Amino acid sequence: MTRDRRPPGPARAAGAARAVPVALAVAVLVVLGSLARTPPAAAADNGRWSVLPAATTVGQRPYFYLSAPPGGEVRDTVTVANRTDRPRTFLLYAADAHNTARDGGFALRGPDEPRLGAAAWTRLSRERITVPAGGTADVPFTVAVPERAEPGDHPGAVVAVEDGPATPTGRGIGVRQAVAARLYLRVAGPTAPALAVEDVRVAGNATGAVVTYTLHNLGNVTLRPRATLTASGFLGRNLLRRELTGLPPELLPGTRLTLTARWDDPPDLEWSRLTVRAEGGGAGARGVADHAAHPGLATALALASALAAVAWSALGAASGRMARMSDRSPEPTAPHRAGFACFVGRPNAGKSTLTNALVGTKVAITSNRPQTTRHTVRGIVHRPDAQLVLVDTPGLHKPRTLLGERLNDVVRATWSEVDVIGFCLPADQKLGPGDKFIAKELAGIKKTPKIAIITKTDLVESKALAEQLLAVHQLGAELGFEWAEIVPVSAVGDSQVQLLADLIAPLLPESPPLYPEGDLTDEPEMVMVAELIREAALEGVRDELPHSIAVVVEEMIPRENRPADRPLLDIHANVYIERPSQKGIIIGPKGSRLKEVGMKSRKHIEALLGTPVFLDLHVKVAKDWQRDPKQLRKLGF
């Protein structure tokens, strides 16, 4: 890696982040003479009429996915189709979306409720239309984003409700059906996925307990949350671990949602600590609560906590430079620092996941397949006191191909030129020959500070973590050097990630920022697009195939003769494999798997580039490209 401290050219907008999951929506409004205030959401077609985004030359769109900067505006058209044999008149309006308190479902504000986000900014050209029998009507609309609009996601919908008296039901309740097309609006600017697990409580006894917890989307982007519930007994004994169900498919910005989970047959005579871990969109959090069927066990809990504190203090004293478990705040008068820090380690040690967690958005693809990263990826962390340029490197490994040798060369060239080296060691795996080989090479780099980062701490109990911390400290002592810090982190659980940034910052040289505020990476867009396609292609393939997949974007060209407010970007990319027999695996029966790869990657690409995309994928064979110097050069290695 050639060290270049000059900022790169103009970078993409920081607001291009993740694709927001989309679906159709229908609101069934149960009323007593008027519309309900918080209608639930389902499909955008009730069999009699439908509300959908107007079709494009590419085809029918199931949703609106729009983006605009503060002070900008975007135009689109909604199509209302009447499927009945008589004319129908509809009232049209824009509604803000929210999660229902009962189950977190996607719901819409009523027409009489205040309009605060996308609904307040949307102006329909007509608010009342009559659609002939079996016909359609197109209604243009404009979304004008205010200058001071908050960046991030502002979900809503365009709603059509039949004009006229409500239809009475058998119980005398008037019912109107309102059909809505979801509208996902992203206002350009910094995006910050953030999630909290709040107010974890346990109620019950030895026959069964109910765990209550609150998920709070603190950020400005929509999250797709996942959560697990674990319980540990005295001395870390594992009592429970399971995925939680009943979570909403989408947790909208600002939503605080209280959920419950049942724990059958908790131990009768043992104190237990329950932990709810949640993650979504790169953000993670956890909450804990204690439970004892017999309150007298509280005394034992206090004693165990005191013993744990003493043990941790002794552990810190033994390691000398062990990182403190509390946050370190930067000195308010300290000079600004900026520099490069690289993460190294064996394949699948959590380097890319950690890079994404520190940056706050996805800049490096991740996979449970080892050796996913094939080139250095720079992620930029902006702080008041420092700018951290994080260089994620391929995993150092015993090479079996020319590609493997070149990836190892990239790693060694990188760590010889950075200001700080972070050595990632998974907490759930004992130190092996590969770790010791890398540590031995690091010992030869005398002047560069080295931080030992124990990753994936959410996967182990406290006893195993303590053993790993001591083993890593001893490894440095055996090789004759001292770690600048030893810090345990969980990128998925968002544990001590901020502390790691606090530890790296003081080790960087004094310098003004190296990149403009708002830049999150200096990766070329074509490279990032290729990586997003490769990430989608890696899912579900056979063990031997991931290393054989390479992606090259041949061209990215705006579609000609498109309206200025409805652009389309044509992307043509080739997916390379090594043998003809692998072609069928990638393409799948009747092209089903390649189509799925295209659909998944296109969502992320559209969010990255901020524009609709037509993605054209082709699978080609580059025989034994991992071992062929000519093919490696062609594929960019």
Side-chain angles (χ1 to χ4, degrees), residues 247-594:
L247 276 69
E250 299 171 316
L251 193 64
L252 305 182
T255 297
R256 181 185 275 112
L257 183 65
T258 299
L259 302 166
T260 60
R262 184 168 179 82
W263 181 19
D264 294 323
D265 302 321
D268 186 21
L269 298 175
E270 185 173 5
W271 162 84
S272 56
R273 170 157 290 176
L274 285 92
T275 302
V276 177
R277 292 183 174 87
E279 68 91 22
R286 68 173 183 169
V288 298
D290 297 325
H291 173 69
H294 301 281
L297 291 177
T299 303
L301 168 61
L303 177 59
S305 299
L307 290 174
V310 172
W312 182 255
S313 298
L315 180 63
S319 62
R321 296 282 293 172
M322 191 78 67
R324 291 200 308 268
M325 298 300 287
S326 58
D327 288 345
R328 297 183 177 184
S329 299
E331 293 293 334
T333 58
H336 190 276
R337 297 177 179 274
F340 295 82
C342 75
F343 292 147
V344 301
R346 288 186 288 110
N348 212 24
K351 301 181 292 296
S352 298
T353 304
L354 183 58
T355 298
N356 291 338
L358 281 162
V359 175
T361 192
K362 189 167 193 168
V363 295
I365 70 170
T366 58
S367 171
N368 57 5
R369 304 287 184 178
Q371 299 175 34
T372 299
T373 304
R374 286 183 176 163
H375 63 287
T376 57
V377 177
R378 295 187 187 185
I380 305 164
V381 180
H382 301 274
R383 297 162 49 104
D385 62 318
Q387 187 181 79
L388 286 60
V389 184
L390 306 175
V391 186
D392 179 27
T393 63
L396 196 67
H397 62 287
K398 184 176 181 180
R400 298 180 179 177
T401 64
L402 181 57
L403 173 64
E405 294 176 3
R406 293 191 176 179
L407 294 182
N408 282 351
D409 291 341
V410 168
V411 177
R412 293 188 175 95
T414 299
W415 71 30
S416 66
E417 298 184 1
V418 296
D419 302 298
V420 180
I421 298 173
F423 183 18
C424 294
L425 303 112
D428 62 335
Q429 301 174 31
K430 291 186 177 181
L431 299 186
D435 298 312
K436 295 176 182 178
F437 172 77
I438 297 173
K440 187 175 181 180
E441 293 210 9
L442 294 179
I445 305 173
K446 301 298 184 183
K447 295 183 179 180
T448 306
K450 293 169 277 292
I451 295 178
I453 305 169
I454 314 303
T455 60
K456 306 183 183 182
T457 59
D458 56 299
L459 301 181
V460 299
E461 302 296 335
S462 56
K463 181 180 178 181
L465 176 58
E467 291 174 350
Q468 187 79 329
L469 290 166
L470 289 173
V472 171
H473 167 70
Q474 184 62 30
L475 177 62
E478 290 174 357
L479 295 173
F481 70 91
E482 186 178 11
W483 301 106
E485 301 285 357
I486 303 176
V487 55
V489 304
S490 169
V492 172
D494 194 27
S495 173
Q496 308 227 126
V497 174
Q498 180 58 47
L499 173 60
L500 176 60
D502 292 344
L503 297 174
I504 293 174
L507 300 176
L508 301 176
E510 295 183 16
S511 169
L514 306 175
Y515 292 85
E517 181 71 26
D519 283 11
L520 301 180
T521 182
D522 62 359
E523 282 288 282
E525 288 182 343
M526 290 185 70
V527 174
M528 296 191 72
V529 168
E531 287 292 89
L532 290 172
I533 297 170
R534 186 164 68 92
E535 181 182 46
L538 286 172
E539 294 184 15
V541 297
R542 298 177 185 174
D543 290 341
E544 74 276 5
L545 192 53
H547 311 298
S548 299
I549 297 175
V551 177
V552 175
V553 175
E554 297 295 337
E555 59 181 5
M556 294 168 52
I557 304 175
R559 181 77 61 88
E560 295 182 356
N561 301 321
R562 296 280 297 183
D565 59 341
R566 297 175 66 183
L568 184 68
L569 184 66
D570 289 320
I571 298 178
H572 302 276
N574 293 326
V575 179
Y576 288 93
I577 36 86
E578 292 190 292
R579 297 186 296 277
S581 60
Q582 298 170 336
K583 202 167 184 178
I585 301 174
I586 291 293
I587 297 175
K590 298 182 179 180
S592 59
R593 194 172 185 287
L594 187 63

Side-chain angles (χ1 to χ4, degrees), residues 13-26:
R18 274 167 296 282
V20 179
V22 292
L24 304 180
V26 64

Side-chain angles (χ1 to χ4, degrees), residues 208-234:
V210 175
V211 182
T212 304
Y213 63 99
T214 298
L215 293 183
H216 188 185
N217 185 346
L218 299 165
N220 62 353
V221 293
T222 301
L223 303 178
R224 302 186 67 181
R226 297 191 301 272
T228 58
L229 174 65
T230 60
S232 57
F234 191 64

